[in-house]
Amino acid sequence: MTATAAVSTTSESRTPQQVWQRVRGVLLAVLILVVAGVAFAAVRSGDQHGRLDPRSADPYGSRALAELLKERGVSVDVVTTLDEAADATGPDTTLLVTGPNTLTAHQQRRFHDATAGSGGRTVLVSPGGSSVDRLAPGVHPEKRGPVTARAPRCELSAARSAGVADMGGIHYATDAPGATTCYPDDELASLLVLPGRGAGDTVLLGSPGILHNDRLDQQGNASLALQLLGSRPHLLWYLPSLDDPSAAEGRNGGADSRDGAAGDEAGGENGLISLIPPGWLWGTLQLALAAALAAIWRGRRFGPLVTEQLPAAIRASESTEGRARLYRSADARDRAAAALRADTRHRIAPLLGMSAQDADSPAVLLPAVAARLGTPGSDPYALLFGPAPADDAALVLLTDQLDALEREVRTS
């Protein structure tokens, strides 16, 4: 069978059945991912809002605590802007700030001015870095420690009543008169209460653990959380938002803006990562798992190849056609052209009185071809060592030219 017949099948177009067989596995995997993602989102969409959100039933949400407070007659309202939080402060209100480190320096100063003389209670969750200087002057964050069961070791009635609780995280030191330090570690408090004007005070929690759904039933966490947040008839649950217009007020304020950037950088674990919604984290995990499974599926092996005796002899023409189909399915015109050129060179080399090793050397083979043919009809270098054809038509043309060159060498 000639070289033209060996590559003739590479110019055939794929059938719809062949195309479907190649893409059906990928389409099925994509369909499964889409269906699983939609189902997962539908199941969890009603319960997830974010960390420390009183509407979230997620392990790191706080719906359980909010429901317990409501059962005890405490109204729970959620706000997401600084203006809403500042307007609602008062002696009958507890203001819980879930992300004080995400506030800009301008927002922190405004917040402190609004709550300093309100007479209510302000609870700050894990404030750190420069935010402590602005929200609780006179307090210094010293270190971080593990969240574990700790004894109160203080005179605060809420802590003594709750007993052992899961406390830790950021630890604080202060010289402020009248301050109460509880749940200490190396004499540094993980719960700090600062007296304010009148009956008001400010509570610093080193860790949000006692507010989470998954920790509320452990130790004395529920008792401590209910007493800290339920001391007033109204609880304002402040979830700082990136959409808050007040966040842009101090951005062009020179030193104020720079202080805000430094405070955000030093804010600790309540920084950028805490602002990512839990749904995105779950989605990223699912995509990573799907990618790993796809890699395992596509890279699977069934063991080493085993050489076996064929049950029947296969004609050379069938083997040639089979290889041509493989080249065509992979669009491997470069491999097909290289195979045709190599076979042609090794067939004409003995006719020119050359060894098989010299057949792949242009410096040796081409002068012998030129001496044999004189003035060949086409460029021998382009035929025998040229670039890969650009399309199937060029590959068929190359095959015809190689056949013609071989005939010239044989008959010359």
Side-chain angles (χ1 to χ4, degrees):
M1 186 176 182
T2 65
T4 304
V7 298
S8 61
T9 54
T10 61
S11 60
E12 299 176 5
S13 60
R14 295 189 180 93
T15 64
Q17 182 179 5
Q18 291 173 324
V19 174
W20 167 247
Q21 290 176 347
R22 287 176 61 87
V23 303
R24 63 184 179 183
V26 177
L27 293 178
L28 179 61
V30 172
L31 178 61
I32 293 175
L33 285 177
V34 171
V35 172
V38 172
F40 186 81
V43 170
R44 298 179 63 89
S45 60
D47 294 335
Q48 282 209 338
H49 292 275
R51 289 176 177 264
L52 294 178
D53 195 311
R55 299 160 296 184
S56 174
D58 187 82
Y60 296 102
S62 300
R63 178 189 287 185
L65 177 58
E67 295 299 325
L68 290 175
L69 288 168
K70 292 176 183 178
E71 291 179 1
R72 285 157 176 76
V74 178
S75 62
V76 179
D77 297 314
V78 178
V79 296
T80 58
T81 65
L82 179 60
D83 291 337
E84 292 175 317
D87 292 343
T89 57
D92 295 333
T93 301
T94 298
L95 179 54
L96 171 66
V97 187
T98 60
N101 297 320
T102 62
L103 299 175
T104 65
H106 174 74
Q107 289 178 305
Q108 290 169 356
R109 293 191 179 96
R110 275 193 55 192
F111 180 85
H112 180 262
D113 294 341
T115 58
S118 66
R121 166 169 287 182
T122 302
V123 180
L124 306 175
V125 180
S126 300
S130 301
S131 63
V132 178
D133 297 334
R134 303 185 188 98
L135 298 174
V139 178
H140 308 285
E142 296 293 338
K143 68 171 187 177
R144 291 181 178 273
V147 176
T148 184
R150 302 180 188 274
R153 294 168 56 189
C154 66
E155 298 302 323
L156 184 66
S157 60
R160 293 177 63 86
S161 176
V164 176
D166 291 331
M167 298 295 294
I170 303 177
H171 294 77
Y172 304 98
T174 183
D175 295 328
T180 305
T181 58
C182 296
Y183 300 96
D185 180 17
D186 292 337
E187 305 305 323
L188 296 175
S190 56
L191 171 62
L192 180 63
V193 181
L194 298 174
R197 299 177 187 174
D201 57 15
T202 300
V203 179
L204 282 73
L205 280 176
S207 167
I210 64 171
L211 308 179
H212 290 158
N213 292 327
D214 64 344
R215 284 184 178 265
L216 198 62
D217 61 344
Q218 301 175 18
Q219 313 298 336
N221 297 345
S223 175
L224 181 59
L226 290 172
Q227 293 182 80
L228 291 178
L229 301 185
S231 62
R232 271 76 171 172
H234 305 295
L235 172 61
L236 200 64
W237 206 294
Y238 180 22
L239 302 171
S241 170
L242 296 177
D243 298 331
D244 189 348
S246 65
E249 293 178 3
R251 287 178 181 170
N252 298 323
D256 190 68
S257 299
R258 292 190 293 272
D259 290 346
D264 292 343
E265 182 178 353
E269 59 183 346
N270 286 336
L272 179 62
I273 298 299
S274 66
L275 300 178
I276 301 177
W280 285 99
L281 298 178
W282 275 105
T284 304
L285 178 61
Q286 292 179 74
L287 289 177
L289 178 60
L293 292 177
I296 295 173
W297 167 55
R298 296 298 295 176
R300 69 191 188 281
R301 291 188 59 185
F302 298 103
L305 297 176
V306 178
T307 303
E308 297 180 354
Q309 294 293 332
L310 295 177
I314 299 177
R315 294 186 299 175
S317 60
E318 294 180 2
S319 298
T320 302
E321 291 177 0
R323 175 173 292 188
R325 291 191 185 97
L326 290 176
Y327 285 152
R328 178 175 61 83
S329 64
D331 289 333
R333 286 184 292 271
D334 54 342
R335 298 291 299 275
L340 291 171
R341 285 169 168 152
D343 289 344
T344 302
R345 292 196 302 265
H346 285 82
R347 285 196 298 270
I348 67 175
L351 302 177
L352 299 173
M354 302 173 57
S355 65
Q357 290 78 6
D358 295 332
D360 296 324
S361 174
V364 178
L365 181 64
L366 294 179
V369 173
R372 182 69 171 266
L373 300 181
T375 304
S378 56
D379 181 11
Y381 180 85
L383 292 180
L384 297 173
F385 299 97
D391 51 32
D392 290 347
L395 179 61
V396 174
L397 177 61
L398 173 64
T399 305
D400 294 338
Q401 292 174 337
L402 289 173
D403 284 342
L405 177 64
E406 185 176 347
R407 284 195 300 269
E408 290 183 41
V409 173
R410 289 182 180 278
T411 58
S412 61

